[in-house]
Amino acid sequence: MYVHMLPSEVIEKISAGEVIESPADCVKELLENSLDAGSSRVEVEVLHGGKKYICVKDNGTGIHREDMEKVILRWATSKIRSMSDLMNIQSFGFRGEALHAISNVSRMVIRSRFFQDELGVEMGLEGGKVAWKRDAGMQVGTCVEVYSLFYNLPVRLKFLKKEDTERNKISRLIKEYALSQPKVHFILVSNGRKLLDLPPFEERKDRVETTFGMKFDRMDLSVDNINIEVYTSVENVRGEVHVFVNSRCVQNRSLVEYVRRAVGYKKVCVLFLDIPPYMVDANVHPKKREVKIYKESKIKELIGRMFKKRESYPFFLSQNTPPYTVHFELLGILDNTLILAKIGEYLYFFDQHLLSERLSFERTHNAESSCRSSIKAGKEISEYEAQELIRAWMNFENREVCPHGRPIYYRLYIGDVYRSLGRR
Ligand code: ADP
Ligand code: MG
């Protein structure tokens, strides 16, 4: 006989390790619980990147004293009751796994005062078992302390990252939640130093701007029950894209990539998508980082439309406005004559000669000299030169025709190409 059932103690540790892999995972779960409890202020404190100590303190509803011992049981939750609730999740948590998992792989103290009570309760846990419990004088809210995470799970302990790495992960995480929850005050203290202090704001825009320390443009669109809000940095910087679906920061790769293409690689872009809960399945991943979105293509189309509208601006910009760049993809140069590029939803064929002619015209405003000084068709140009030409073209006053009135480009709507091939 070689096969036997694993002891429950081993099973517990394995599954706890699935939910919580690092101090940042721990902070994430505790933070989400604080937000679910309707807190307006959440303070996170860590020592040694959270490896030694994590404390998340909030001013939410608190835990009912009779629930104190229940919250650390596996699959114990106050957030859903039935299968049908799964279709309509409005909270971050609902699986009832986090406190159970964390308490199993650490020494933990939970302190909480329910909003209708005069007194709080304090409970100490060791590897998931209640070690002590007593009344505690405290403000309404909850404070969870986690000491020596993974002290009893050496495999996980061994693979923890360096203190700096863990601390940065935690800081990034808090900023993420701060972006989607402008009205909540977030604080991060690390080794006694205040690293983040993000005061509450009424408007998302203020929160986005203070979090990144830059100015942002805002666009929004509402169709049916779908609301999209996009913030794009005014400045060009190293681009990053953050996507929130119903306030949950998600790693939906295809959506992020779609936004990145639409906005270009030099912008910080924060996109908030608010859709009815039944259109999202957050239950595909234990950590809920990935979500499934129904009708994703429709949503992409709406986002695409927003950016396209924005792209049409530069056509009417006056000359003294700073240059405007729209993201494009250079696909190649054909016969040393045609420059191929994808811009928005179109495939563009530029005539290299006419394009460069238009460019010199914009510079000199003289049709005769521009024709002579420009790049002739048939002359080999580098990809870089081709990109420069397109970039310059985007800021032309007249993007349609060359100084002699010949069209500069021919374009195809990519959707039409797909349609003729029988797709979509
Ligand atoms: P879930 O969040 O999926 O319900 P958790 O294990 O994270 O599962 O938490 C279990 C329960 O403990 C929650 O459903 C909630 O009722 C309670 N709880 C946990 N943290 C807090 C908090 N900070 N404030 C109020 N209640 C909390
Ligand atoms: Mg939770």
Side-chain angles (χ1 to χ4, degrees):
M1 294 271 276
Y2 298 103
V3 179
H4 55 88
M5 298 305 290
L6 279 173
S8 59
E9 179 198 329
V10 180
I11 299 175
E12 294 273 354
K13 298 283 179 292
I14 292 174
S15 56
E18 267 167 16
V19 182
I20 307 294
E21 285 181 64
S22 65
D25 286 344
C26 211
V27 171
K28 171 180 183 288
E29 293 296 338
L30 299 177
L31 209 61
E32 291 193 346
N33 282 346
S34 296
L35 295 171
D36 282 344
S39 311
S40 62
R41 186 180 190 280
V42 185
E43 182 170 345
V44 179
E45 189 179 348
V46 295
L47 288 177
H48 291 185
K51 294 197 271 187
K52 209 170 185 173
Y53 175 76
I54 297 168
C55 173
V56 177
K57 188 174 161 201
D58 67 47
N59 63 355
T61 56
I63 300 169
H64 197 282
R65 58 171 49 231
E66 279 167 29
D67 286 336
M68 277 302 268
E69 290 186 39
K70 263 194 255 166
V71 296
I72 50 132
L73 299 179
R74 192 166 191 201
W75 303 304
T77 181
S78 56
K79 298 168 195 174
I80 60 170
R81 285 188 176 273
S82 62
M83 279 300 285
S84 59
D85 291 347
L86 269 181
M87 291 293 288
N88 197 32
I89 288 166
Q90 317 262 6
S91 55
F92 285 113
F94 58 89
R95 300 170 59 116
E97 290 182 314
L99 290 184
H100 174 78
I102 300 167
S103 69
N104 249 289
V105 293
S106 71
R107 298 188 179 93
M108 185 157 124
V109 177
I110 307 179
R111 204 171 283 125
S112 193
R113 180 176 145 197
F114 194 56
F115 71 104
Q116 290 169 330
D117 291 346
E118 291 295 309
L119 206 59
V121 186
E122 189 176 73
M123 180 169 83
L125 298 137
E126 182 108 12
K129 305 268 179 306
V130 178
W132 49 267
K133 201 173 139 190
R134 63 179 169 232
D135 284 347
M138 62 181 291
Q139 308 250 300
V140 169
T142 305
C143 171
V144 178
E145 290 176 298
V146 178
Y147 297 84
S148 26
L149 185 65
F150 301 134
Y151 79 98
N152 54 358
L153 201 59
V155 274
R156 266 279 146 39
L157 196 59
K158 217 171 78 185
F159 289 107
L160 282 185
K161 302 280 189 307
K162 280 197 297 229
E163 173 174 342
D164 286 6
T165 317
E166 291 296 345
R167 192 191 44 230
N168 291 340
K169 260 204 285 187
I170 291 169
S171 161
R172 236 180 294 132
L173 186 86
I174 294 176
K175 282 189 194 161
E176 240 169 44
Y177 283 88
L179 284 173
S180 69
Q181 311 286 332
K183 291 177 188 157
V184 180
H185 189 169
F186 289 91
I187 293 166
L188 171 63
V189 177
S190 161
N191 298 341
R193 273 186 49 222
K194 202 181 257 186
L195 288 193
L196 291 177
D197 189 348
L198 300 165
F201 285 107
E202 277 306 307
E203 303 291 332
R204 267 180 183 162
K205 187 160 191 272
D206 295 318
R207 187 40 87 67
V208 172
E209 291 185 339
T210 40
T211 305
F212 291 102
M214 293 188 275
K215 285 277 166 210
F216 281 74
D217 288 324
R218 178 180 184 281
M219 295 191 281
D220 65 358
L221 182 75
S222 296
V223 179
D224 301 330
N225 283 321
I226 301 170
N227 285 293
I228 306 174
E229 222 177 294
V230 184
Y231 296 89
T232 314
S233 65
V234 174
E235 268 173 73
N236 281 339
V237 286
R238 221 180 86 190
E240 40 183 296
V241 174
H242 302 266
V243 174
F244 294 83
V245 178
N246 294 350
S247 296
R248 193 190 289 281
C249 182
V250 300
Q251 242 122 62
N252 179 314
R253 226 181 266 158
S254 87
L255 199 58
V256 168
E257 197 43 39
Y258 186 86
V259 175
R260 196 189 293 282
R261 287 205 182 157
V263 74
Y265 286 77
K266 290 193 172 150
K267 298 287 183 187
V268 176
C269 178
V270 190
L271 184 137
F272 296 98
L273 178 63
D274 287 298
I275 52 183
Y278 66 81
M279 284 180 75
V280 193
D281 184 359
N283 206 11
V284 288
H285 191 257
K287 288 191 202 149
K288 314 178 200 94
R289 287 298 275 183
E290 278 163 46
V291 297
K292 232 199 290 195
I293 301 169
Y294 298 106
K295 303 223 179 117
E296 192 173 305
S297 54
K298 175 178 179 187
I299 283 160
K300 281 184 184 161
E301 194 192 307
L302 291 174
I303 297 170
R305 226 194 274 167
M306 292 172 86
F307 280 106
K308 211 180 288 166
K309 241 205 212 139
R310 202 171 86 119
E311 278 177 32
S312 52
Y313 265 110
F315 291 90
F316 310 104
L317 286 180
S318 72
Q319 265 183 327
N320 45 19
T321 8
Y324 185 94
T325 39
V326 173
H327 178 65
F328 65 88
E329 231 178 298
L330 180 70
L331 300 174
I333 304 164
L334 260 181
D335 302 325
N336 291 330
T337 304
L338 290 178
I339 301 173
L340 251 78
K342 178 174 180 276
I343 306 174
E345 294 298 299
Y346 289 91
L347 209 57
Y348 278 79
F349 299 81
F350 291 100
D351 183 315
Q352 153 186 325
H353 169 67
L354 299 184
L355 188 54
S356 93
E357 198 179 57
R358 181 87 230 168
L359 173 61
S360 5
F361 178 74
E362 295 276 331
R363 287 190 181 139
T364 62
H365 283 261
N366 177 326
E368 273 316 298
S369 75
S370 67
C371 191
R372 263 180 271 118
S373 65
S374 55
I375 302 167
K376 297 280 178 225
K379 181 180 178 287
E380 197 175 328
I381 61 168
S382 69
E383 281 193 4
Y384 178 75
E385 283 173 289
Q387 283 168 339
E388 281 308 300
L389 281 175
I390 297 175
R391 234 167 259 139
W393 168 80
M394 289 185 168
N395 289 291
F396 286 176
E397 261 184 38
N398 182 343
R399 315 210 297 181
E400 308 307 318
V401 292
C402 82
H404 307 292
R406 271 162 68 185
I408 296 173
Y409 66 82
Y410 170 70
R411 69 177 192 179
L412 283 172
Y413 179 57
I414 296 172
D416 286 342
V417 177
Y418 277 113
R419 214 162 301 126
S420 2
L421 294 172
R423 287 191 178 270
R424 276 193 258 179

